[in-house]
Amino acid sequence: SGKGGWKMRALLTGKQMKEIDRRTIAEIGIPSMVLMERAALAVAEEVKKRTKKTEKIWCACGCGNNGADGVAAARLLHLAGYPVMVVYIGNREKGSEEFKRQAAIAENLGISVIFFREFIPGSCDVLVDAVFGVGLSREVEGEYREVLEMMNQANARKVVAVDMPSGINSDNGQVMGCAVCADVTVTFGYEKMGSVLYPGRAYCKKVIIS
């Protein structure tokens, strides 16, 4: 705590958070899948608080570790009895090892999955955004821009972003061409600079640090 009861607020860049994760895995020895399960639990709990079991949930997942968090959260929601569909964006074969493992688990459990290029856009009740996370450093283009625009047009009652709304630069809060508007952003470890600097702050809305 600082003077007068003010609390110090730790703010990290995406690069700093990635280094903390690397050290946690490589030097401390906590497996990445354990960190992922904790992240997924936090996301799933926030979705459950805001969702009825009759409501339709979409989890839009990239093929990196942010997407793997999203797939794991979808699994937890599925096992809890929520109707959930996973929409993949990107090249699964070039995905992270963690993503491939989470995708295999989800499919072994019979969770509904589809690739964006085969997906017919419509509407859902709750949307989980797990496309990019904190690693985005260039403009969103092509199929990725299409999926972010689709997410903003899905008329979801609630949008829950995993770590950062996709399309927001986690270092400076800038919109990288296109970004998802979240109602709740579940971030991990520390709050990110991009969630307090505008315009990113407006896209994150309520930030929950897990």
Side-chain angles (χ1 to χ4, degrees):
S1 298
K3 293 180 180 179
W6 289 96
K7 291 184 178 180
M8 296 294 288
R9 189 177 187 183
L11 296 170
L12 270 62
T13 64
K15 186 177 180 180
Q16 288 170 329
M17 193 65 233
K18 282 181 174 291
E19 176 60 16
I20 288 173
D21 283 345
R22 187 200 66 77
R23 291 181 63 185
T24 301
I25 295 163
E27 297 176 19
I28 298 174
I30 299 174
S32 61
M33 291 290 277
V34 171
L35 299 179
M36 197 159 282
E37 201 68 15
R38 289 178 58 187
L41 281 165
V43 172
E45 284 306 310
E46 292 305 322
V47 172
K48 287 179 188 178
K49 287 177 187 176
R50 296 164 173 81
T51 310
K52 297 174 184 176
K53 282 202 172 180
T54 55
E55 291 187 305
K56 183 166 60 176
I57 304 169
W58 290 350
C59 291
C61 301
C63 295
N65 282 3
N66 189 254
D69 290 343
V71 177
R75 165 174 41 90
L76 295 170
L77 291 165
H78 170 80
L79 292 173
Y82 290 83
V84 59
M85 173 180 284
V86 176
V87 182
Y88 292 138
I89 176 71
N91 188 335
R92 175 172 170 169
E93 299 309 311
K94 293 183 179 179
S96 69
E97 289 305 310
E98 289 86 352
F99 168 79
K100 290 176 183 176
R101 276 183 273 172
Q102 292 290 1
I105 293 167
E107 287 156 31
N108 287 341
L109 288 169
I111 296 171
S112 297
V113 299
I114 192 167
F115 282 87
F116 176 64
R117 60 181 171 270
E118 300 164 354
F119 183 60
I120 300 172
S123 62
C124 63
D125 299 297
V126 177
L127 177 64
V128 176
D129 165 27
V131 179
F132 288 129
V134 301
L136 186 66
S137 59
R138 61 183 180 181
E139 292 283 300
V140 179
E141 299 175 338
E143 192 176 41
Y144 287 97
R145 187 178 185 108
E146 287 180 38
V147 79
L148 300 195
E149 289 172 348
M150 178 276 290
M151 291 162 71
N152 282 334
Q153 294 164 10
N155 297 316
R157 184 178 57 76
K158 289 290 180 183
V159 178
V160 179
V162 180
D163 220 1
M164 284 289 291
S166 294
I168 297 295
N169 186 303
S170 62
D171 295 348
N172 57 31
Q174 292 303 300
V175 176
M176 306 300 284
C178 178
V180 172
C181 296
D183 296 294
V184 181
T185 300
V186 183
T187 198
F188 313 118
Y190 300 90
E191 196 168 5
K192 312 307 183 293
M193 290 290 293
S195 68
V196 299
L197 298 172
Y198 282 91
R201 178 73 192 90
Y203 282 77
C204 291
K205 298 275 182 24
K206 181 178 178 65
V207 177
I208 295 166
I209 304 168
S210 175

